[in-house]
Amino acid sequence: MTHQDGQLPPAWHGQAYSAKRHGVTITNCDSEPVQTPGCIQAHGVLLAVRRSDMTILQVSENAEAWIGKPPEALLGASVATVVGEEGRSALEATLQAGGADANPTYVFTLPGRDARAPMDVTVHTSAGVVVVELESYGLTEAPQGRDPYAQLRGAVARLQRTTTLNDFSQSACEELRALTGFDRVMVYRFHEDLHGEVVAEARLPTLEPFLGLHYPAEDIPAPARDIFRKLWIRPVPDVAGELVELVPLTNSDTGRGLDMTLCALRGPSIMYTEYLRNMGVRSALTLSLRRGDELWGLVSCHGYSAPLRLPFHVRAACELFAQVISLQHQAAEEREHLQYRLRLDRVHARLVERSAQHPGLTELNRGDPTLLDAVEGGGAAVYDEGQWRTVGAVPETEQLDALREWLDLLPEFESVFSTAQLPRRYPPAHEFKSVASGLLAVRFGRSYPGMLFWFRPELPRDIQWAGNPADKPTTTGPNGPRLTPRRSFELFLESVAGSSRPWTSVEVTAAQHLRHQLFALVLNQTGRIARLNDELRASNRELARSNQDLDAFAYVASHDLKEPLRGINKYAHQLLSDLSPDDSGRRSKAEGLVRLTLRMDALIDSLLHFSRVGRVSLETEPVDLGEVVKEALEMLDARRAVDVRIPRPLPVVQGDRPQLREVMANLLSNAMKYNDKPQPWVEIGYLKPEEEGHRGDVPSGSAGKTLFFVRDNGIGISAAHQPVVFELFRRLHGRDAYGGGVGAGLTIVRRLLERHGGAGWLSSELGAGTTFFFSLGGVQ
């Protein structure tokens, strides 16, 4: 937080920060302490409690209005003074269970007293401090007759049917608006320079559209973006509502202000609420849209007529929705570009094959195809052994040399670098922006100078800004001029030069994969194995770390998804216990809600299991595959209903016995389950490479290996559906058809086989049965 001279403003220099008192002194939004505002929104009460004895250390100054006791009567008292001994026990039990560690968790609803409204009580820990929030609406208040969980189930199903990223984003807006009742819902995407664009919108017909409008990066400053990397949902039900300070502003045990990052009641920045009021917004809700650990964008909800407070269970449904769309968002983009990705894979295979026959990276731009076919662009260049070989429109050789030297010193350029605004990152590129405003570059290691480049030409365009992005108004505050939010959002057109069509995630990933395919090949060809061993190990560590990060994200996300479900399930059971046996209509809805939570719990369990598959160590040993099949059949207990055929003894293989048993159990379960024949049978066998019938069209990594198979005479799979059967949560039949399931089994099979250095694929004809083939890395 800086003043004009770069020092702390004297209004709060040396004091704990309060957005209520000190927010009007701000001159630099990027340093505002939004995580420790010292204030909450006025529709609830916040308590900061010592964990060891549950003593209240801080309390919001509005405590008397909501719970009938002033702050001075609560400080130093037990939290039971507010919630009762039974409530204290419930809080401690929740804390003891561990689910509330940095994770706000609903515990109970405090009954209304003396004409005061019921209050939802949530708890979480923040830097060792217990944070208890009491909000002024109860779970018993139905959101205008809507069932948010039934809506959420339908919303997820509809999102999965979208075929493009734009359709996915638009559907997400429409579903969230139906769920919450906000007047406008937008998907807001961050660009490379962190400015934002509204890429999808659902709104009242009477509202002016914001779709396609751009907003400068300063509209969502760095502290706000950082917070949205840590939480999924941010409600501001009353933009014009007053701020209420904590008493005292600092924790007496720590001497610091309370970190309120995860608090639903956290007081918003005065700059933020001024900004919203300038747009005519009365209530707001913001959700994070993430890809892994990166903040891809936001889902922003605005209400214009009156404050809008969402009950806890609706907010919980919204938070779950934010996590689901974040998990599915990249998959939607990959679905959109599936044919493009498959074409790139075919081109890469041909390029690698040619490189194996003709040493040197420069051969990649000889003949057909070239690098320009590997990723779409205006030109491509290869640098190897001090030589350039180019195709298409590229900069001059001297310009390429200077660009390569700049990239070589760029700390962030470990393996792949991409930008659609090269002149902004590298000013000399202004000289050749007509052919290279966009750059996608690949390097093979800092000890090996080979690089691949793709270029895209300048694409001049007009950006539609919501107001002049250069407008930074100020007003006179207690300590001189201070920054204020923009007041004008009138359309402002700006012609932008020096940028290209952006690189998609599919293209960046394709470049990364091509790098890995070529890396070992180049090393073998050039005889640099000894000198570059460290580089190869670093590359392997990078890949392993990337996979670990993905597994960890799936695990953590799944764990986080569990917590709202517990609250929802508990709430549903409370409703059932409170309803009369004669109230069949409401009991049916509540029972449906219980079934829905159990279904979603099963989905999450499958996601957790899938993430653990990549985290559990591989313990290899000689394994009798015949014994493994016997164990799998005993687990399934299905021999009596199906004729199981094993024409000859299965071999001993090298692998992890429990994981191979899970592979066989999943394949056998599917073979038995998806069978409508009067006399169903399953055959388990194998084919050695030299034996007749060994398939010739196996994946390249399985060529020359023993092929194992599980064959059935079941319902079969149509050719159109065969490419998707290994996708997570992909079921080809109704939820309860053929014994039900969540569609994770084959995805887990594929992951386990890949961990064994093998692969899995299938051959099937609709109505005539299916054969699942697989190979193992240690079996020739």
Side-chain angles (χ1 to χ4, degrees):
M1 183 64 60
T2 59
H3 193 45
Q4 285 179 305
D5 57 2
Q7 302 299 316
L8 293 176
W12 56 282
H13 180 70
Q15 305 175 32
Y17 178 73
S18 163
K20 181 178 181 180
R21 278 186 272 170
H22 308 128
V24 294
T25 66
I26 295 168
T27 61
N28 183 353
C29 291
D30 281 346
S31 57
E32 183 179 6
V34 293
Q35 297 180 357
T36 55
C39 298
I40 67 168
Q41 300 174 70
H43 62 275
V45 176
L46 185 142
L47 309 173
V49 178
R50 184 186 296 125
R51 177 67 183 93
S52 60
D53 58 8
M54 299 301 282
T55 295
I56 298 172
L57 302 174
Q58 292 172 279
V59 59
S60 55
E61 61 183 347
N62 63 343
E64 186 169 14
W66 286 109
I67 56 181
K69 294 181 176 64
E72 56 268 22
L74 297 173
L75 292 173
S78 168
V79 72
T81 308
V82 176
V83 300
E85 288 297 338
E86 186 177 344
R88 169 181 169 148
S89 297
L91 290 172
E92 289 188 311
T94 302
L95 293 168
Q96 187 66 31
D101 294 340
N103 180 35
T105 303
Y106 168 79
V107 185
F108 57 88
T109 297
L110 192 66
R113 300 170 187 162
D114 301 328
R116 297 186 182 94
M119 305 190 81
D120 292 343
V121 179
T122 60
V123 66
H124 73 278
T125 59
S126 174
V129 178
V130 176
V131 181
V132 179
E133 296 181 82
L134 299 89
E135 295 185 73
S136 64
Y137 28 67
L139 282 170
T140 54
E141 298 178 10
Q144 302 173 8
R146 297 190 298 267
D147 180 350
Y149 311 111
Q151 286 184 279
L152 186 61
R153 178 179 58 186
V156 172
R158 287 185 287 273
L159 284 173
Q160 290 176 330
R161 291 197 290 268
T162 59
T163 57
T164 69
L165 184 59
N166 282 342
D167 289 345
F168 179 91
S169 300
Q170 182 62 37
S171 180
C173 288
E174 293 167 357
E175 300 293 350
L176 193 59
R177 182 165 178 262
L179 180 64
T180 61
F182 277 97
D183 298 324
R184 185 196 306 270
V185 177
M186 301 165 284
V187 169
Y188 182 93
R189 176 181 183 175
F190 291 112
H191 283 261
E192 182 182 340
D193 60 358
L194 297 179
H195 92 268
E197 178 187 1
V198 177
V199 297
E201 176 186 46
R203 58 181 172 83
L204 287 174
T206 55
L207 294 176
E208 177 186 357
F210 287 177
L211 183 63
L213 292 183
H214 293 244
Y215 295 79
E218 293 81 3
D219 280 16
I220 302 179
R225 294 194 299 271
D226 183 59
I227 279 185
F228 279 112
R229 292 186 183 94
K230 301 173 183 176
L231 52 77
W232 290 103
I233 186 167
R234 170 58 166 148
V236 182
D238 187 357
V239 169
E242 65 173 316
L243 292 178
V244 177
E245 281 189 2
L246 295 185
V247 180
L249 281 175
T250 56
N251 184 314
S252 58
D253 285 356
T254 65
R256 296 192 299 268
L258 179 65
D259 186 339
M260 301 169 65
T261 299
L262 302 177
C263 294
L265 287 172
R266 173 168 53 86
S269 160
I270 287 187
M271 290 285 291
Y272 176 54
T273 52
E274 281 188 22
Y275 180 88
L276 291 175
R277 286 200 299 271
N278 290 349
M279 296 180 73
V281 175
R282 290 294 309 277
S283 56
L285 178 74
T286 309
L287 308 177
S288 296
L289 186 50
R290 306 184 206 166
R291 288 196 176 178
D293 293 330
E294 294 300 317
L295 185 64
W296 187 91
L298 301 171
V299 183
S300 184
C301 310
H302 290 171
Y304 296 95
S305 58
L308 178 57
R309 297 180 183 175
L310 299 179
F312 176 84
H313 60 304
V314 177
R315 288 212 318 268
C318 291
E319 183 173 0
L320 179 58
F321 188 64
Q323 297 181 44
V324 169
I325 62 176
S326 289
L327 288 171
Q328 292 188 353
H329 192 257
Q330 186 164 358
E333 185 172 10
E334 290 173 353
R335 286 198 299 272
E336 178 179 359
H337 299 292
L338 175 62
Q339 294 305 316
Y340 179 34
R341 180 172 62 82
L342 293 176
R343 178 168 66 83
L344 295 186
D345 287 345
R346 290 192 294 270
V347 171
H348 292 178
R350 293 174 62 188
L351 287 173
V352 172
E353 182 180 1
R354 179 161 12 112
S355 293
Q357 298 170 356
H358 304 283
L361 289 176
T362 54
E363 291 298 318
L364 294 172
N365 274 347
R366 288 185 192 269
D368 182 33
T370 67
L371 274 186
L372 205 50
D373 300 296
V375 173
E376 289 181 356
V382 177
Y383 180 79
D384 188 35
E385 298 288 351
Q387 296 182 344
W388 290 97
R389 182 168 293 278
T390 64
V391 60
V394 302
E396 300 293 333
T397 301
E398 296 79 7
Q399 294 169 331
L400 288 172
D401 285 332
L403 176 61
R404 180 185 60 80
E405 291 171 1
W406 172 75
L407 284 170
D408 204 41
L409 298 174
L410 200 62
E412 66 195 79
F413 184 28
E414 289 294 333
S415 56
V416 174
F417 172 82
S418 67
T419 178
Q421 299 175 320
L422 182 59
R424 187 177 68 86
R425 298 292 308 272
Y426 176 62
H430 281 287
E431 298 178 7
F432 50 83
K433 63 182 182 181
S434 61
V435 296
S437 285
L439 169 66
L440 174 60
V442 167
R443 74 184 314 161
F444 292 93
R446 293 194 177 276
S447 300
Y448 176 62
M451 290 188 187
L452 310 179
F453 296 77
W454 289 270
F455 299 102
R456 278 184 177 160
E458 181 181 34
L459 187 65
R461 58 195 177 108
D462 289 335
I463 290 184
Q464 295 182 324
W465 294 99
N468 186 343
D471 183 18
K472 293 180 172 57
T474 62
T475 190
T476 301
N479 304 287
R482 72 173 180 92
L483 192 65
T484 62
R486 291 181 295 120
R487 295 182 180 276
S488 173
F489 296 91
E490 293 183 4
L491 183 64
F492 181 88
L493 288 178
E494 180 186 22
S495 295
V496 177
S499 63
S500 72
R501 180 165 61 89
W503 306 98
T504 66
S505 63
V506 170
E507 291 167 331
V508 174
T509 300
Q512 179 84 62
H513 287 171
L514 181 60
R515 171 190 182 270
H516 291 310
Q517 288 175 297
L518 292 171
F519 195 19
L521 186 63
V522 168
L523 294 180
N524 285 323
Q525 289 173 342
T526 58
R528 294 186 175 96
I529 298 293
R531 182 163 60 87
L532 295 179
N533 263 343
D534 288 342
E535 288 281 344
L536 187 56
R537 283 193 292 270
S539 178
N540 288 335
R541 285 195 300 269
E542 177 187 339
L543 282 172
R545 185 169 58 251
S546 176
N547 287 332
Q548 289 169 0
D549 289 344
L550 287 172
D551 289 338
F553 171 74
Y555 181 83
V556 171
S558 301
H559 181 272
D560 289 347
L561 290 173
K562 281 274 192 177
E563 190 54 47
L565 275 183
R566 292 192 187 101
I568 295 167
N569 188 271
K570 181 178 179 181
Y571 162 60
H573 280 289
Q574 288 176 350
L575 286 180
L576 277 172
S577 63
D578 291 342
L579 290 172
S580 165
D582 299 329
D583 196 346
S584 59
R586 293 186 180 182
R587 289 191 69 86
S588 175
K589 292 179 180 179
E591 289 167 352
L593 180 55
V594 171
R595 287 194 300 272
L596 173 60
T597 58
L598 293 175
R599 167 72 175 170
M600 296 184 75
D601 191 63
L603 288 170
I604 294 168
D605 282 340
S606 296
L607 184 58
L608 277 167
H609 182 53
F610 177 69
S611 70
R612 290 191 186 106
V613 166
R615 298 160 66 89
V616 177
S617 61
L618 197 69
E619 305 289 343
T620 60
E621 59 179 333
V623 177
D624 186 330
L625 205 56
E627 291 296 320
V628 167
V629 170
K630 181 179 179 181
E631 293 167 6
L633 289 169
E634 289 174 351
M635 289 170 55
L636 297 172
D637 192 26
R639 271 187 183 271
R640 294 185 300 273
V642 178
D643 178 16
V644 178
R645 305 172 181 177
I646 306 177
R648 57 177 172 171
L650 298 175
V652 174
V653 300
Q654 193 73 17
D656 183 296
R657 188 182 190 94
Q659 295 190 17
L660 290 177
R661 183 167 58 239
E662 184 168 2
V663 168
M664 296 306 303
N666 272 305
L667 293 179
L668 289 169
S669 174
N670 280 351
M672 297 170 179
K673 183 177 3 178
Y674 297 105
N675 200 311
D676 57 355
K677 302 299 189 294
Q679 297 179 327
W681 55 261
V682 179
E683 180 182 349
I684 304 106
Y686 67 97
L687 293 169
K688 291 184 177 180
E690 66 275 11
E691 291 181 333
E692 184 178 354
H694 191 283
R695 292 169 56 89
D697 57 342
V698 302
S700 57
S702 299
K705 293 183 177 180
T706 296
L707 304 184
F708 301 91
F709 63 84
V710 175
R711 179 178 292 127
D712 63 65
N713 66 334
I715 63 174
I717 303 170
S718 69
H721 289 140
Q722 290 178 22
V724 301
V725 296
F726 287 98
E727 294 182 5
L728 187 60
F729 298 149
R730 181 60 71 104
R731 279 183 55 80
L732 305 183
H733 308 281
R735 185 182 67 187
D736 299 319
Y738 296 100
V742 299
L746 289 179
T747 310
I748 292 171
V749 165
R750 182 174 61 181
R751 173 70 72 90
L752 292 171
L753 292 173
E754 289 172 349
R755 296 200 73 205
H756 280 78
W761 64 101
L762 64 88
S763 174
S764 184
E765 182 180 346
L766 192 62
T770 300
T771 303
F772 280 94
F773 292 92
F774 65 91
S775 65
L776 298 170
V779 183
Q780 297 301 317

